[in-house]
Amino acid sequence: MLPPAASPARQAVRAVVLTAGARPGLRALLDALAASATRPDSVVVLDTSSEEGAAEVVAAASSRTFAVEHVSLDSRMPDRAAVTHWLTTGDVPDDDLVWLLPVGCVPEPGTLGRLLAAHRRSPSVGLVGPKHVDATQPGTLRSVGITTTRSGRVVEDPPLGEPDQGQYDLRRDVIAVPLAGMLASAGALRSLGGWERSFGDLGGDLDLGWRAQLSGHRVVVAPDARLRSVAALGLATATTGARRRAARRVALARAPWWQVPFLALWVLLSSVAAGVGLLLLKRPRAAVAAFADAGSLDPFRVVAARHRTRGGRQLRHRDIDTLFVPASAIVRRSLDRAHEAVIAPSRLPDEHVRDPEASSGLGRLLVHPALLAVLASVAVVVAAGRDIGGGLVSRFGSGVTGGELVTTRATSSTLWHAAFDGWHGAGLGGDGPASPSLALLALPTWVLEQLPGAGDLTSSAGAVVGALLVLALPLAALSAYVSSRVITSSRSRPVRGAVALLWATTGAAGAAVAQGRLGALVALVLLPPVLAGVVMLARPTGTATGAFATSLGAAALGAFAPPLLVLVVLACVGVAVVGDNGARARALVPAVLGPLLLGPWLADVVDDWALAATGPGLSQWGTASTEPLALALLHPGGAGSLPWWVSAVVVAAGLVGLLAPRRVRSVATGAALLGLVSLAAALFAPRLELAPTGLASGLASAPPVTAWSGTFILPLTLALLAMAVVGAETLRGRLRTASTVGFVLVGLATAGALGWFGFGEVLRTWSDERPAVAVEQADNDLANRTLFVDPGTTGAAYRIVGRESSSLARSLPRDLEHDAALADDVAGLLDGTQVSAGPRLAQRAVGFVAVAESAGEDVARRLDSAPGLSRLASRDGYAFWRVAALGASPERAVAPTRLSLVTGTDRAPVATTGEHGATETTVTARDGDLLVVAEPMAWAAHAEVSIDGQVLRPRADTEEPTYAVPAGTHDLVVEVTTEHSWWRLLQGMALAIVGFLAIPFGTRSFRSKR
């Protein structure tokens, strides 16, 4: 049946179907046109394919319904270019209306009639577009016109997938409409020159509508006219970066020429600001897209497009301002989305569902296994620490020494410089490796120093270590309770509480506290959550946030216990080997990032592999007396170690759990492998020689320093507990109840045993052995040192104490090459053979000499008669002598000083404000004055001395770093440079980024879209 002829009183309507061959949907579109309530006057099929299939479909449609014209165009010609070409070359009157319908869209029966009504409502209407709904879900909106800001930012309005409930049916004038379903007069399209080809699909539609508005042709949308379209059609949202940039270029091309520079600057700044904001919201993909918007600032494309479409403007830009979305609306929408991303919406009262796991009554809290395990651990610490000298509170204020701890008057500043300066360490210092744990300890030390009353602490860093000794077991219990749900998959709270208590009181836990093994104390707290993080990465529920959090925990664990970082990396590699692609990618993140976050310390490990086998307090100085069987029974030996029969129950439970049926890829299998590796490492540790103790003691016959077996007993204990719980979960009925009771009883038994046997007397509350005047002079502008001498039967050992600090716990023996330079002076002072020993010590900024009273009266008399030494009162088993300052000038310092301005034989003090001679001060010098630094000559290679910003070079003919100072008053800066400064900067940036990525914030649905 042929359509009725067009009425002379109205414009002819031509339906233009765009297809590339016999595409699916062509027949459906032609059928929909035939079934339309208002039929077009003619149908033209523009075929941009060289195939003949479309012609056959057109012929079939013509024979059944109405005549359809088939026009073949060049192959692969875009739809918009095809329409422009047809209008340019075809015989289409300007008064005719063309209805553009790409294959993939299907109009509803009344669509054309409603579009015609909207077009004929006003003679100024040039382009009309329908409401687009989803082809498969007609009740879901796709677009109702194109909405954008003046800067070309396309706004998703309505949001894709929003239900069509008539909420947009009042919308009329818009800046542009999509090509699909557009109804326009042929004359209007010809006058506009068609679509600008450089802007693509969405950009081309936006540009056409924008130019139409400026030319006096209104662009309207008819919401009552519905068109069902697939995803590629009805496009009104910048779904790709190319479309976003094209829309921005449209705005630059259509803006007045004098506004273009300001608009370009706005596009650049808004793109950067949006990218940074999205990064802060942890939306990396969206942030990259926002930053990529700056790529729209292409002057060549913008100028070319502006030139090709010049002319035809009848309206001013301000006349169409109301068609754009105001910037304030975009800001409000962005803030709302940011709020929703970070803070989950609150539930309404009737939406609240009571969660038994989250119930928080006081009664439930008091009997919660996590709280009981922590309180039991606190009781164990109080009971087991009864033999430590001093009160419990005094350990927080003064710190604890003994065992592996080397407590000094360390502050956050001394720890920070010890970690990062190229020249660091106690005594005369050196340029050896520094543990990354010092920097991590500096942070809580700094926080402690900011608290009221912190000035009364004897040593702020010592107070942090003392607090860690007291709190390590309770924190370990809490950490194990939280992590046990992941590691053991146990839902039984009593079992998890018993596991937490066992972890805090079995095996190496008591030995770590009793022997002051700092690295093991931190590992007690960090190891369970880090391994729990590795387990989570192997599961489908693992997330990128968990991978970064595990990386951060692994790095912190490696800073204090490098051997355990090696085990964590092996566990991650194991997950990557047996896991799927998602687990493999997640597990490799901590395996790579964990070590890399330790920065330049990795270079130190390359030079000395022993650094990776130990940590602060994780070395065994002297021969270990523990038998291999005792090690297998979680007994590391030494103070605080429980008898082997206490831990034997845990070992037996773990071995029984190993026999339980399980899958190959399971937590139990991973725990078994981890336990075997840990056991092998614990047995091999006493045989792993790390360094000869003679480096520190001066005795060639001293036993070597080896790795401490207890380090590897920690993961062995955790693996046994995991296997025991997994095995218990396979039981049913009364057996499971009995196993739960057994866990609780064993946990209480181990806690009671540790409290009964105690930590021993290895540790004691620390007190500074120096007199107050020595402490004052070490901390003030003089910055001098105190020399402690302990004579023995085979020689005298000595140590130098100043304002600097080294590691707070022993690890490997320090290289004492520079301190050893004082050996002849100390020997000459003790035996009275060197008259110049006192002045030579003053030359090294030694202001006080302390000799153990056990040395005898003969040594004391020699020091009394030594030039430059004067006797002070004895203190804590040491006799003290003051060393006189060098020089005879009345302006010389009251005592030896770290920095001196030397004129001939006269010395004037120079204020020292930092570590190892670092300072910022003003000096007044005369001709020929020299700045002398009481440090070894090797110090000069790691320091920079400048006068008024000009760097000075040290003289080569002196025993100490000496610099010529020009006459006059100058600003003096002595700076000990940071080692690997660029690497440190990158390390800090990496830590900040990984730390930020490790923070899980926002709603669950938001995190799933990142």
Side-chain angles (χ1 to χ4, degrees), residues 362-390:
L362 180 60
R364 291 176 178 268
L365 178 63
L366 293 178
V367 297
H368 197 284
L371 178 62
L372 295 178
V374 171
L375 293 178
S377 301
V378 171
V380 168
V381 173
V382 174
R386 58 188 178 274
D387 294 328
I388 298 178

Side-chain angles (χ1 to χ4, degrees), residues 787-799 822-838 841 848-867 869 878-881:
L787 176 69
F788 283 88
V789 183
D790 292 280
T793 56
T794 59
Y798 63 90
R799 53 191 171 93
L822 298 182
D824 293 339
D825 298 324
V826 174
L829 190 65
L830 295 179
D831 59 22
T833 57
Q834 286 193 19
V835 179
S836 61
L841 292 177
F848 298 88
V849 175
V851 180
E853 293 179 343
S854 59
E857 291 297 327
D858 292 341
V859 173
R861 282 194 296 268
R862 295 189 191 105
L863 267 68
D864 287 338
S865 60
L869 269 67
Y878 284 94
F880 285 86
W881 284 264

Side-chain angles (χ1 to χ4, degrees), residues 715-758:
L716 175 59
T717 302
L718 203 59
L720 289 169
L721 290 174
M723 289 188 294
V725 175
V726 171
E729 288 178 344
T730 62
L731 302 177
R732 295 291 184 269
R734 295 181 179 180
L735 290 178
R736 172 172 288 188
T737 303
S739 66
T740 301
V741 174
F743 270 112
V744 174
L745 292 178
V746 173
L748 293 175
T750 56
L754 183 56
W756 175 267
F757 290 103

Side-chain angles (χ1 to χ4, degrees), residues 726-991:
V726 171
E729 288 178 344
T730 62
L731 302 177
R732 295 291 184 269
R734 295 181 179 180
L735 290 178
R736 172 172 288 188
T737 303
S739 66
T740 301
V741 174
F743 270 112
V744 174
L745 292 178
V746 173
L748 293 175
T750 56
L754 183 56
W756 175 267
F757 290 103
F759 294 142
E761 301 178 355
V762 174
L763 301 180
R764 64 185 183 280
T765 302
W766 179 78
S767 62
D768 201 330
E769 299 167 319
R770 295 174 294 174
V773 63
V775 174
E776 179 185 1
Q777 290 188 11
D779 293 338
N780 64 15
D781 291 346
L782 297 176
N784 58 30
R785 305 175 171 109
T786 300
L787 176 69
F788 283 88
V789 183
D790 292 280
T793 56
T794 59
Y798 63 90
R799 53 191 171 93
I800 303 170
V801 180
R803 65 167 53 173
E804 297 82 10
S805 65
S806 186
S807 178
L808 299 180
R810 295 192 304 181
S811 177
L812 294 175
R814 289 179 52 232
D815 187 356
L816 302 177
E817 173 188 358
H818 303 291
D819 287 8
L822 298 182
D824 293 339
D825 298 324
V826 174
L829 190 65
L830 295 179
D831 59 22
T833 57
Q834 286 193 19
V835 179
S836 61
R840 285 184 60 82
L841 292 177
Q843 205 172 356
R844 296 286 185 170
V846 176
F848 298 88
V849 175
V851 180
E853 293 179 343
S854 59
E857 291 297 327
D858 292 341
V859 173
R861 282 194 296 268
R862 295 189 191 105
L863 267 68
D864 287 338
S865 60
L869 269 67
S870 56
R871 187 75 173 263
L872 295 177
S874 298
R875 174 185 171 87
D876 293 337
Y878 284 94
F880 285 86
W881 284 264
R882 183 196 297 269
V883 180
L886 297 175
S889 171
E891 297 181 357
R892 72 181 189 277
V894 297
T897 181
R898 192 74 64 96
L899 298 176
S900 303
L901 201 60
V902 180
T903 305
T905 58
D906 294 336
R907 287 177 175 254
V910 176
T912 305
T913 59
E915 313 291 327
H916 283 294
T919 191
E920 292 184 18
T921 187
T922 301
V923 295
T924 301
R926 295 169 292 182
D927 287 335
D929 279 3
L930 300 174
L931 176 68
V932 178
V933 184
E935 299 286 351
M937 277 301 299
W939 171 90
H942 302 275
E944 185 178 274
V945 179
S946 60
I947 290 288
D948 297 333
Q950 183 177 0
V951 179
L952 305 181
R953 301 299 177 189
R955 297 177 56 174
D957 56 347
T958 57
E959 296 182 0
E960 300 168 302
T962 304
Y963 302 83
V965 181
T969 301
H970 308 281
D971 292 329
L972 170 66
V973 176
V974 180
E975 180 183 7
V976 181
T977 57
T978 301
E979 193 174 22
H980 307 292
S981 56
W982 282 105
W983 196 347
R984 293 292 187 188
L985 178 61
L986 294 176
Q987 180 189 16
M989 294 173 59
L991 284 170

Side-chain angles (χ1 to χ4, degrees), residues 537-720:
L537 297 180
R539 296 176 177 172
T541 54
T543 61
T545 298
F548 288 114
T550 304
S551 302
L552 204 62
L557 181 64
F560 286 91
L564 298 183
L565 174 61
V566 176
L567 288 180
V568 171
V569 170
L570 290 177
C572 291
V573 172
V575 170
V577 170
V578 303
D580 55 15
N581 291 334
R584 183 177 299 111
R586 291 189 298 267
L588 289 179
V589 171
V592 175
L593 279 184
L596 287 182
L597 290 177
L598 295 178
W601 180 80
L602 295 177
D604 296 330
V605 172
V606 173
D607 295 334
D608 185 4
W609 63 267
L611 294 173
T614 184
L618 300 183
S619 301
Q620 182 67 43
W621 291 54
T623 304
S625 59
T626 308
E627 296 295 330
L629 180 59
L631 293 177
L633 294 174
L634 312 181
H635 178 78
S641 297
L642 293 177
W644 63 266
W645 47 266
V646 176
S647 302
V649 180
V650 177
V651 176
L655 295 178
V656 171
L658 184 62
L659 301 177
R662 63 186 181 280
R663 294 182 295 108
V664 175
R665 298 181 181 182
S666 63
V667 174
T669 302
L673 294 176
L674 177 65
L676 288 175
V677 174
S678 302
L679 177 60
L683 295 176
F684 180 69
R687 297 169 175 79
L688 184 62
E689 181 177 338
L690 304 179
T693 313
L695 285 177
S697 64
L699 302 177
S701 60
V705 177
T706 60
W708 182 53
S709 298
T711 305
F712 307 99
I713 291 180
L714 291 174
L716 175 59
T717 302
L718 203 59
L720 289 169

Side-chain angles (χ1 to χ4, degrees), residues 369 373 481 493-503 721 740 743-745 747:
Y481 182 86
R493 286 180 173 177
V495 171
R496 292 163 60 192
V499 168
L501 190 57
L502 282 167
W503 168 249
L721 290 174
T740 301
F743 270 112
V744 174
L745 292 178

Side-chain angles (χ1 to χ4, degrees), residues 6-34:
S7 172
R10 64 182 179 87
Q11 297 168 293
V13 179
R14 297 173 182 259
V16 180
V17 177
L18 304 170
T19 185
R23 296 172 56 187
L26 176 58
R27 185 180 299 276
L29 177 55
L30 295 176
D31 292 344
L33 290 176

